[in-house]
Amino acid sequence: MSVIIKPVISEKASYLTDLRGVYSFLVDPAANKIQIKDAVEQTYGVKVSDVNTMIYAPKVSRRYTKRGLQVGKTNKLKKAVVKLAEGEVIDIFSV
């Protein structure tokens, strides 16, 4: 099971990285904070001091077609915000 799916690269995530030194990752929804911490430390070789997680519910979309109402949804997502120890830095674009 791969815990880290991909880093979140957005304007808000870049701002938080510059301001507070925290990094955002999309992670497996079944992973807990300890598994996320271990995966980040092994993947990037840094010391993690804090992990916060958020679960995003699937988004439901409905379409009215000739066959009637078609309902679909996206996947459930989990986002982890990882704070590193003092002086640690992750270069996301080189990995």
Side-chain angles (χ1 to χ4, degrees), residues 15-64:
Y15 176 73
L16 288 175
T17 300
D18 295 338
L19 184 67
R20 297 186 189 154
V22 297
Y23 296 87
S24 301
F25 298 96
L26 283 181
V27 295
D28 182 30
N32 60 26
K33 291 183 180 184
I34 297 169
Q35 292 171 335
I36 294 167
K37 179 181 176 181
D38 292 339
V40 171
E41 287 179 347
Q42 289 177 358
T43 305
Y44 296 104
V46 294
K47 182 70 177 158
V48 175
S49 65
D50 192 25
V51 176
N52 295 324
T53 58
M54 297 166 254
I55 297 175
Y56 291 98
K59 294 183 181 178
V60 178
S61 64
R62 293 175 188 86
R63 240 179 307 193
Y64 295 99

